[in-house]
C-alpha cells in the first residue's frame, strides 16, 4: 500500500515559550522508525506533515491509506483534525476517529464518559477560585492541563497541599499554556499504563507496565515532564513491563482499561493510564488513542519488546485498521 504517515514535527522554541511546548510532537527518530517498519512490512510509506497544507498533500499524493500519528494544531480538538481531513477526502486511516481523538484530549470529558463503568478521581475543570472551592476536594491535589499530553505542564511541582497552592498552580498553567486546568484528588497507589490493540471483540492486551519511584519518599510519585525527558530516569523511577501486583488487581486493571477503550470508542490501538486507590482499585487517569511509537523508548514499545518486534507491533495496528476498512 502507498501509505501517508501523518505527523507533526516539533517546531523551534521562541524566546519565552514553555520548554515542553512540543513535548507531544514526533521527532525524526519516530518517523524513521515507523517508516522503516512499514517498508519492511511491504508498504511504501511517505511522511506527510499534518499542517494547513494537509488537505492538498493528501489529495494530490494518491495514497491508498494513512497511518495517523499526528497531534494536529490548535486546542482541545487538534488531534481530531488530521483524522477529519482523511474522512473528508475518503482516505482510510489508522487509529481512532475524530470524535474519540477530541474526547480523549479533553481529560475531563473523557473522565465523564468512562465514569459510568470505571472509577475516576474526584475533580473538575477550574477557571476561578470559586470553582476550586466549590469542588470541595481533599488535599493534596494534582493540578494539570486539561487538554495536553506527554506530561506537558506537569512540571515544577504539580502537587498542591492546600487551596492557596492549588489556585496559584491553576493560574500558572493558565498563563503559561493558555489552557483549561483540571484539578484532581491524588490517587496514590501503584501507577500502570495498559496497551490495547484491535477492535470490537478482538481487542488484544499488549501489556501492563507498572511505574514507580526507585526510592519512595514522603511525596507521592508523579510521572512528571522532568522524569519523562530525563535520560537517567532509571536512577529515579522503575518501568516494569511485568508488574509486581497481585493477580486480582491485574485483572481489575485490565478490565478497567478495556472498559475505557470501549466507552471512549477507541480503534486499532490505545494506551490507558490508571492508578490504584487505597483499596487497590483501578482509577482512570486518561486515555492516549495515539500512543507514542518511538523505537526503544515509548511505553508500548517497551511493554512488548520481549514478546514482539517493533515491526510486529506496528504491523498489528495496521492489520487491525485494514480489517476495519474491509468491512462494508
Ligand atoms: N489524579 C491523579 N492522582 C495521582 N497521580 C496523577 C493523577 N493525575 C495525574 N497523575 C500523575 O501525573 C502523570 C501525568 O498525568 P496524565 O497521565 O494525566 O498526563 P499526560 O500528560 O496526558 O500523560 P501522557 O504522557 O501519558 O500523555 C501520571 O502519569 C501520574 O503520575
Ligand atoms: Mg498519561
Amino acid at each position: 500500500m502507498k501509505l501517508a504517515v501523518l505527523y507533526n514535527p516539533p517546531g523551534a522554541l521562541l524566546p519565552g515559550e514553555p520548554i515542553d511546548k512540543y513535548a507531544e510532537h514526533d521527532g525524526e527518530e519516530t518517523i524513521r522508525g515507523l517508516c522503516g517498519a512499514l517498508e519492511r512490512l511491504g508498504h511504501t510509506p511517505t511522511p506527510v506533515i499534518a499542517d494547513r497544507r494537509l488537505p492538498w498533500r493528501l489529495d494530490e499524493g494518491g495514497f491508498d491509506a494513512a497511518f495517523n500519528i499526528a497531534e494536529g494544531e490548535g486546542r482541545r480538538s487538534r488531534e481530531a483534525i488530521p483524522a477529519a481531513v482523511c474522512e473528508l477526502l475518503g482516505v482510510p486511516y489508522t487509529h481512532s476517529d475524530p470524535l474519540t481523538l477530541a474526547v480523549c484530549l479533553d481529560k475531563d470529558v473523557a473522565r465523564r464518559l468512562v465514569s459510568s463503568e470505571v472509577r475516576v478521581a474526584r475533580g473538575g475543570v477550574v477557571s476561578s477560585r470559586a470553582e476550586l472551592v466549590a469542588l470541595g476536594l481533599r488535599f493534596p491535589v494534582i493540578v494539570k492541563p486539561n487538554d495536553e499530553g506527554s506530561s506537558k505542564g506537569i512540571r515544577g511541582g504539580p502537587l498542591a497541599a492546600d487551596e492557596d497552592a492549588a489556585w496559584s498552580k491553576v493560574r500558572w498553567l493558565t498563563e503559561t499554556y493558555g489552557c483549561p486546568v483540571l484539578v484532581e484528588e491524588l490517587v496514590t497507589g501503584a501507577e500502570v499504563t495498559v496497551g490495547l490493540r484491535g477492535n470490537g471483540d478482538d481487542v488484544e492486551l499488549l501489556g501492563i507496565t507498572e511505574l514507580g519511584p526507585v526510592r519512595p519518599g514522603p511525596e507521592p510519585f508523579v510521572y512528571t515532564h522532568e522524569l519523562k525527558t530525563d535520560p537517567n530516569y532509571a536512577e529515579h523511577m522503575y518501568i516494569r513491563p511485568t508488574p509486581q501486583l497481585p493477580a486480582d488487581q491485574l485483572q481489575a486493571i485490565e478490565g478497567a482499561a478495556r472498559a475505557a477503550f470501549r466507552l471512549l470508542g477507541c480503534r486499532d490501538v490505545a494506551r490507558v493510564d490508571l492508578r490504584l486507590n487505597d483499596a487497590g482499585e483501578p482509577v482512570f487517569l486518561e486515555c492516549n488513542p495515539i500512543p507514542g511509537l518511538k523505537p526503544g523508548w515509548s511505553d508500548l514499545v517497551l511493554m512488548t519488546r520481549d514478546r514482539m518486534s517493533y515491526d510486529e507491533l506496528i504491523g498489528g495496528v495496521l492489520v487491525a485498521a485494514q480489517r476495519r476498512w474491509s468491512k462494508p
Side-chain angles (χ1 to χ4, degrees):
M1 272 194 297
K2 193 173 172 195
L3 288 174
V5 176
L6 309 188
Y7 79 113
N8 289 93
L13 272 188
L14 298 175
E17 287 186 331
I19 45 160
D20 49 358
K21 178 172 180 191
Y22 295 109
E24 291 180 295
H25 290 53
D26 289 296
E28 278 308 308
E29 225 177 301
T30 305
I31 302 310
R32 227 179 302 122
L34 189 50
C35 288
L38 292 168
E39 263 167 26
R40 288 186 292 275
L41 291 162
H43 302 288
T44 311
T46 305
V48 174
I49 296 179
D51 60 8
R52 56 192 302 152
R53 300 281 312 152
L54 177 63
W56 290 270
R57 294 188 217 279
L58 263 189
D59 203 27
E60 290 156 11
F63 299 107
D64 300 308
F67 196 100
N68 177 30
I69 60 160
E71 298 295 334
E73 288 177 15
R75 272 252 73 97
R76 65 177 190 162
S77 296
R78 63 183 178 275
E79 239 175 59
I81 295 168
V85 170
C86 291
E87 298 248 349
L88 185 68
L89 298 177
V91 176
Y93 59 98
T94 62
H95 296 68
S96 297
D97 77 355
L99 180 61
T100 296
L101 295 175
V103 160
C104 290
L105 202 53
D106 185 322
K107 290 194 171 124
D108 196 42
V109 174
R111 286 155 42 88
R112 278 184 262 157
L113 273 188
V114 303
S115 65
S116 58
E117 290 183 35
V118 183
R119 282 175 198 81
V120 297
R122 288 188 60 231
V125 170
V126 164
S127 59
S128 68
R129 189 154 182 149
E131 281 174 355
L132 175 64
V133 174
L135 286 174
L137 300 178
R138 188 195 52 187
F139 289 89
V141 293
I142 182 162
V143 186
K144 55 186 188 178
N146 188 49
D147 60 4
E148 298 288 359
S150 306
S151 280
K152 201 170 152 181
I154 304 183
R155 63 184 174 100
L159 304 187
D162 55 34
E163 202 182 288
D164 282 344
W167 177 238
S168 110
K169 199 80 206 177
V170 170
R171 285 179 37 208
W172 177 75
L173 281 176
T174 313
E175 282 157 19
T176 311
Y177 298 94
C179 61
V181 177
L182 178 61
V183 183
E184 279 183 352
E185 284 185 359
L186 213 57
V187 187
T188 53
E191 175 161 347
V192 288
T193 188
V194 184
L196 295 166
R197 184 177 68 175
N199 289 301
D201 296 336
D202 195 13
V203 176
E204 164 197 7
L205 176 71
L206 286 173
I208 302 176
T209 298
E210 182 188 355
L211 324 162
V214 171
R215 286 172 296 277
E219 278 271 294
F221 170 76
V222 174
Y223 198 8
T224 55
H225 172 76
E226 287 93 341
L227 274 175
K228 265 179 209 171
T229 51
D230 184 352
N232 301 318
Y233 72 89
E235 289 172 18
H236 310 289
M237 67 176 286
Y238 57 79
I239 297 181
R240 286 183 189 140
T242 310
Q244 292 175 12
L245 296 170
D248 59 334
Q249 285 184 3
L250 287 173
Q251 210 178 342
I253 287 166
E254 180 179 345
R258 284 180 178 277
F261 188 96
R262 172 174 45 79
L263 289 163
L264 293 165
C266 293
R267 298 192 313 203
D268 304 344
V269 69
R271 227 193 64 227
V272 181
D273 293 348
L274 303 145
R275 201 149 176 174
L276 300 184
N277 63 15
D278 293 345
E281 299 156 333
V283 177
F284 172 87
L285 297 185
E286 54 128 10
C287 173
N288 302 280
I290 304 189
L293 290 173
K294 184 171 174 182
W297 180 264
S298 294
D299 295 290
L300 287 193
V301 181
L302 297 181
M303 75 170 56
T304 53
R305 73 173 166 192
D306 290 343
R307 285 169 289 119
M308 64 176 79
S309 65
Y310 183 75
D311 294 4
E312 284 168 317
L313 173 63
I314 302 301
V317 174
L318 189 56
V319 166
Q322 283 175 301
R323 289 200 183 120
R324 224 171 17 78
W325 303 336
S326 65
K327 284 191 186 139

